[in-house]
Amino acid sequence: MCEERRRILVATTNPGKIAEMRAMLGGDVRWLGLADVEEIAEIAEDGATFAENARKKALGYAKATGLWTIADDSGLVVDALDGAPGVISARFSGEKLEGDERTLIDHRNIAKVLELLEGIPENKRTARFVCRLCLARPENVLIETEGTLEGLITTVEIGEDGFGYDPIFFVPGLNKTVAQLASKEKNAISHRGNAIRKLQPLLTELITR
Ligand code: IMP
């Protein structure tokens, strides 16, 4: 097994995502975050699809560092809004203003979704969280996976936990919004958890080949 294969960069500054990858993918891998490598100019998430963004980030960081790199892109897709907020989920209500708290943006994004869905009946409020993962080396893409979580958009915020659109994303099978789930419960069903679980056997096969 060559040394390059055992060092994998998770192209994120979010320590939670690195810990999640490490815990779920484990294996004979040294997991690195962006804080562990030389500073690289941020790669814009300006693609038209989650797949494009994940691929662009994974290849971009792999080329810049020479490392195998995993990148993700995720967001909320609402059927009645023709797939919006989609790839602009993080900035659906506008770009972040100076001094804005993340939670403030989350609330504004939620308010916009609820307003656009006003008067839409429950059976037409179907939505999904989507997470696309891409593992690339500098030369090419190695693995791509996608995980989803199906649900319904509520009419009001329910629950205190999680982030982003969690308080308005109702999971019928659990009779709760994602913001009412403990993080372990969320990981077990989430789009990101599902994408990581699909990646795991493919990565193991690749590094033990
Ligand atoms: P990113 O892929 O981390 O950039 O996430 C993009 C945006 O999608 C986030 O800022 C959230 O608004 C939304 N999003 C992604 N995953 C989740 C989730 O698990 N819960 C709630 N919102 C999410």
Side-chain angles (χ1 to χ4, degrees):
M1 193 188 296
C2 81
E3 175 61 22
E4 177 207 15
R5 290 187 173 186
R6 278 184 251 121
R7 291 171 70 214
I8 300 182
L9 174 66
V10 183
T12 176
T13 49
N14 181 336
K17 282 192 189 171
I18 303 165
E20 205 178 1
M21 292 279 176
R22 187 179 296 136
M24 291 181 71
L25 294 174
D28 190 15
V29 169
R30 204 176 129 214
W31 295 102
L32 305 172
L34 287 176
D36 302 313
V37 296
E38 237 175 79
E39 203 171 317
I40 299 155
E42 200 177 321
I43 295 170
E45 294 185 23
D46 54 6
T49 61
F50 298 117
E52 238 179 84
N53 280 336
R55 210 175 289 145
K56 185 178 175 206
K57 278 193 290 179
L59 277 171
Y61 285 112
K63 282 187 208 301
T65 60
L67 292 164
W68 282 27
T69 302
I70 293 184
D72 74 336
D73 194 35
S74 60
L76 176 69
V77 171
V78 180
D79 294 321
L81 302 180
D82 292 326
V87 287
I88 61 159
S89 288
R91 51 181 195 282
F92 192 43
S93 58
E95 291 299 331
K96 187 176 171 179
L97 299 171
E98 203 56 44
D100 258 7
E101 295 281 339
R102 189 181 168 105
T103 48
L104 185 61
I105 302 164
D106 287 346
H107 282 298
R108 281 206 301 247
N109 287 340
I110 283 176
K112 184 166 174 185
V113 170
L114 293 183
E115 199 184 308
L116 291 171
L117 287 179
E118 234 173 76
I120 306 277
E122 188 182 316
N123 65 346
K124 296 218 165 71
R125 298 174 80 94
T126 50
R128 68 205 51 80
F129 279 128
V130 178
C131 174
R132 190 83 188 188
L133 286 179
C134 177
L135 169 68
R137 59 181 174 180
E139 302 79 18
N140 60 325
V141 166
L142 295 167
I143 303 172
E144 290 180 288
T145 62
E146 185 170 297
T148 55
L149 172 63
E150 299 286 333
L152 294 170
I153 303 298
T154 55
T155 52
V156 291
E157 294 189 36
I158 306 165
E160 306 294 328
D161 292 327
F163 73 101
Y165 298 92
D166 283 348
I168 57 165
F169 194 93
F170 182 78
V171 185
L174 299 177
N175 208 27
K176 284 178 181 171
T177 68
V178 178
Q180 293 176 296
L181 302 178
S183 64
K184 229 177 159 175
E185 282 177 288
K186 178 176 172 180
N187 291 343
I189 58 156
S190 79
H191 47 311
R192 201 180 328 279
N194 289 336
I196 296 175
R197 276 183 286 276
K198 284 187 190 169
L199 188 89
Q200 201 272 329
L202 302 174
L203 177 64
T204 302
E205 198 202 317
L206 203 61
I207 59 181
T208 52
R209 197 184 276 166

